[in-house]
Amino acid sequence: MPLRIITYPHPTLRRKALPLRRVDAELRGMVAEMFELMYKHKGCGLAATQVDLPYRLFIVNESGDPGLKDEEFVILNPVLSKHKGSEEDEEGCLSLPGLYAQVRRPAQVSLEAFDLAGKPIRLEAKGRFARVLQHENDHLDGVLFIDRLSPTQLLASKDQIAEFETEFAQRRERGEIPGDAQIAARIAELEAQRS
């Protein structure tokens, strides 16, 4: 079954992802599919939880340009540290399409992770790149950018968020989205395959 981007309030978006223990051809195929989806939806980052996968994995191309392959990163089991400074900038999310808001985040972060070949990655990031890394890493902990909004910003976004909730409920009623128990069983099966 092809991967697709799930939208708020899908329960997988609130689930804490598990560390990956092994990389195989199937996972590499999933990563390739994630890049296709990210570019198709004009994104610059995509976390595994956004495609209904329970793994600590995200992809990034800060430029969002599929032609710039040297800007692509596959990040497995990330750990962010050395948060410095603070800056506010606009964020959006492929799982909350069309919703944008100002989000305050550290201006600089350090990242340690692994790539698809199992090689360690160490990055010092600042500005937009640091923001993208933090946004995607949040997804792996079940945190969405709307969780980081001020009460005033959240109030301003309330109607759009309610629309996502209504649309999700309607799609579930039509049988397009499985129930929570089915989703949890599928996630547990996926986790067991890679533990």
Side-chain angles (χ1 to χ4, degrees):
M1 192 167 160
L3 296 179
R4 63 180 177 76
I5 295 173
I6 57 175
T7 55
Y8 177 83
H10 194 290
T12 303
L13 292 171
R14 292 302 191 180
R15 189 176 184 98
K16 193 171 168 83
L18 289 183
L20 278 160
R21 305 261 181 252
R22 63 188 169 86
V23 173
D24 56 18
E26 183 184 30
L27 188 71
R28 286 187 192 90
M30 290 175 187
V31 167
E33 214 174 327
M34 285 174 68
F35 272 111
E36 285 176 28
L37 276 171
M38 181 182 80
Y39 293 133
K40 177 182 171 187
H41 292 274
K42 311 280 190 250
C44 60
L46 186 64
T49 52
Q50 291 181 272
V51 292
D52 206 11
L53 296 172
Y55 311 131
R56 293 196 80 75
L57 151 72
F58 63 80
I59 59 169
V60 173
N61 179 339
E62 184 190 349
S63 72
D65 184 343
L68 298 177
K69 297 290 184 201
D70 58 331
E71 291 196 24
E72 290 183 352
F73 289 92
V74 179
I75 309 288
L76 306 179
N77 301 335
V79 175
L80 295 182
S81 62
K82 299 178 187 165
H83 299 74
K84 291 181 188 161
S86 177
E87 62 184 18
E88 191 169 270
D89 204 352
E90 187 177 76
E91 287 189 30
C93 181
L94 297 180
S95 292
L96 291 138
L99 178 61
Y100 299 92
Q102 294 290 313
V103 179
R104 181 163 294 286
R105 292 192 186 267
Q108 293 180 280
V109 293
S110 296
L111 174 133
E112 289 187 32
F114 294 92
D115 66 13
L116 266 183
K119 293 182 182 149
I121 298 171
R122 285 185 180 78
L123 298 171
E124 301 297 322
K126 57 185 177 183
R128 184 164 188 254
F129 189 47
R131 179 170 295 277
V132 173
L133 293 178
Q134 292 172 80
H135 178 110
E136 298 310 327
N137 194 68
D138 270 357
H139 274 297
L140 304 185
D141 292 324
V143 176
L144 301 174
F145 86 95
I146 55 173
D147 301 331
R148 299 201 177 275
L149 300 182
S150 70
T152 308
Q153 292 169 310
L154 197 55
L155 191 61
S157 304
K158 185 178 64 129
D159 290 346
Q160 274 183 283
I161 292 169
E163 282 177 37
F164 286 117
E165 291 165 349
T166 301
E167 184 184 332
F168 184 84
Q170 290 170 345
R171 290 182 62 209
R172 192 167 251 183
E173 282 173 28
R174 293 192 301 264
E176 295 171 23
I177 298 171
D180 287 358
Q182 281 178 280
I183 291 170
R186 181 183 159 276
I187 292 293
E189 188 180 312
L190 289 169
E191 288 172 344
Q193 288 173 7
R194 297 204 172 271
S195 61

